[in-house]
Amino acid sequence: MKTFLNAQDIGDLRQALAEAQEIKRDKLKHVSLGRGMTALLVFFNNSLRTRLSTQKAAQNLGMNVIVLDVNAGAWKLETERGVVMDGDKSEHLLEAIPVMGCYCDLIGIRSFAGLRDRDYDYAETVYWQFVRHSSRPVFAMETATVHPLQAFADLITIDETPLASPGRRKKVVMSWAPHPRSLPQAVPNSFAQWMLAASDEQAGIEGGLDFVITQPHGYELDPQFVRGARIEYDQMKAFEGADFVYAKNWSCPGVTCPEDYGKVLGDYHDYLSWTVSERQMAVTNNAHFMHCLPVRRNMIVTDDVIEAPTSLVIPEAANREISATVVIKRMLEALRGR
């Protein structure tokens, strides 16, 4: 595996989930695999779980780790070609990337959407520049449009969480929730993509799952990520009988109105009824609550719901180490010719 960006890059989901459980039983089983090799983790944006979990994953595999905060201690980087560099950016990414590649064996990239130019963001311009110019395997630690390590961890969490009525298809609902700021679509895009990949009982998780997205009008996600999902604009109806509820805000994806890309539509105070509370959870099948964190309490979800015994936010975060270990392990195996 030379790149990791989308669900299909992981290959067979059943095999990947089995590998995740093997690693959970013994995190250091493959510690010799990365010995003498270096992972470079490049952060264009702030991070807590991604930084800690990915660094720990690389160490589980015996790797040296270099963490580069582009906006704290490095030269400011220009990312677009054709720009006259007469501002505050001293180095271009096209020179920086091959230099970075000289010092490592694989690279992880975290770079958020600018939410100004949809075409630029959805082309994954920064990520693919690293793939083209570093000569190293590259994996996404969240990009303009996707967050596959989070979605893989979410899938691991769903797969290993027992239900009161096992052996049936699990109902997973992803719900938009209000937020005062414009947020990217990366987490919901990836969650949708991975849930849809897992919905096939033969290729996905045991028993299969049914996936529903609920959001207000105007927040429709890009079809490349959600094609095949059931869309429900009535949140309460969507929650009926749910086994897992994944709450997340995202700004307007600009699918139907490109001029609204990256915007918060209207006044978010008008959407506070979308905050996940005991009212919504009461119509579920005693659903487990999920969120990628960090979360704004009593905006995305109420205290009572996130603190309930059915909340999975901490196990999800713990599984970030596992998802990253599986991905880095596979990249190392490719480098070692295994």
Side-chain angles (χ1 to χ4, degrees), residues 9-308:
D9 297 330
I10 202 69
D12 183 271
L13 284 181
R14 285 189 183 275
Q15 184 178 342
L17 290 168
E19 194 170 337
Q21 292 306 316
E22 176 191 50
I23 286 170
K24 290 191 80 166
R25 289 190 290 271
D26 183 359
K27 295 180 182 179
L28 299 180
K29 181 177 181 180
H30 305 282
V31 70
S32 63
L33 184 61
R35 189 165 293 145
M37 305 185 85
T38 298
L40 172 61
L41 309 181
V42 183
F43 290 87
F44 288 84
N45 305 94
N46 295 337
S47 174
L48 189 151
R49 278 148 297 277
T50 298
R51 177 192 296 264
L52 297 178
S53 62
T54 312
Q55 186 167 350
K56 181 65 165 58
Q59 292 170 341
N60 290 346
L61 296 164
M63 300 192 77
N64 301 311
V65 182
I66 300 173
V67 177
L68 176 64
D69 284 306
V70 171
N71 296 318
W75 297 112
K76 289 187 177 181
L77 295 176
E78 177 58 63
T79 61
E80 298 186 45
R81 291 186 75 254
V83 173
V84 177
M85 293 175 58
D86 58 356
D88 64 343
K89 296 177 180 177
S90 304
E91 186 164 8
H92 202 286
L93 205 59
L94 294 180
E95 285 78 61
I97 290 172
V99 170
M100 293 179 198
C102 294
Y103 307 140
C104 65
D105 299 282
L106 56 83
I107 301 176
I109 303 299
R110 182 176 174 94
S111 178
F112 292 171
L115 295 179
R116 295 182 299 274
D117 184 335
R118 190 182 194 281
D119 290 341
Y120 182 88
D121 287 345
Y122 272 71
E124 290 292 5
T125 307
V126 173
Y127 177 84
W128 288 112
Q129 283 180 334
F130 272 90
V131 172
R132 285 192 295 269
H133 302 297
S134 70
S135 74
R136 297 289 181 258
V138 179
F139 64 95
M141 300 189 297
E142 186 169 5
T143 66
T145 68
V146 292
H147 196 348
L149 289 176
Q150 178 66 55
F152 185 18
D154 295 332
L155 183 60
I156 293 169
T157 307
I158 290 171
D159 184 51
E160 68 187 9
T161 301
L163 299 181
S165 303
R168 60 178 177 78
R169 289 179 71 84
K170 303 172 177 70
K171 182 178 179 181
V172 180
V173 178
M174 181 172 71
S175 176
W176 180 93
H179 197 284
R181 297 175 55 196
S182 292
L183 297 184
Q185 300 97 43
V187 169
N189 282 345
S190 270
F191 187 76
Q193 185 185 61
W194 284 72
M195 291 305 107
L196 289 167
S199 64
D200 184 342
E201 189 172 349
Q202 300 303 314
I205 63 177
E206 186 176 354
L209 58 83
D210 294 319
F211 181 55
V212 181
I213 301 172
T214 183
Q215 84 255 320
H217 288 279
Y219 286 97
E220 292 81 4
L221 293 166
D222 193 298
Q224 68 177 299
F225 300 107
V226 303
R227 187 174 288 110
R230 175 185 151 202
I231 308 299
E232 176 57 66
Y233 293 98
D234 183 332
Q235 188 192 39
M236 292 299 292
K237 184 176 180 181
F239 273 44
E240 291 176 0
D243 298 299
F244 297 89
V245 168
Y246 197 99
K248 186 69 179 79
N249 174 267
W250 59 89
S251 61
C252 176
V255 174
T256 56
C257 296
E259 64 274 13
D260 288 332
Y261 173 64
K263 294 180 181 179
V264 175
L265 302 178
D267 188 333
Y268 74 88
H269 291 94
D270 296 334
Y271 293 93
L272 292 180
S273 64
W274 282 78
T275 299
V276 177
S277 68
E278 289 184 331
R279 176 177 66 89
Q280 289 97 329
M281 298 299 281
V283 303
T284 70
N285 187 29
N286 195 29
H288 295 276
F289 176 79
M290 303 180 71
H291 190 277
C292 60
L293 301 181
V295 64
R296 295 199 180 213
R297 285 181 174 227
N298 303 305
M299 177 69 63
I300 301 292
V301 59
T302 60
D303 292 329
D304 290 342
V305 172
I306 197 171
E307 293 174 5

Side-chain angles (χ1 to χ4, degrees), residues 1 4 10 19 23 61 106 139 149 152 194 322-332:
M1 185 164 65
F4 178 70
I10 202 69
E19 194 170 337
I23 286 170
L61 296 164
L106 56 83
F139 64 95
L149 289 176
F152 185 18
W194 284 72
I322 306 305
S323 65
T325 303
V326 172
V327 168
I328 296 172
K329 171 180 172 288
R330 291 187 173 196
M331 288 191 156
L332 289 173

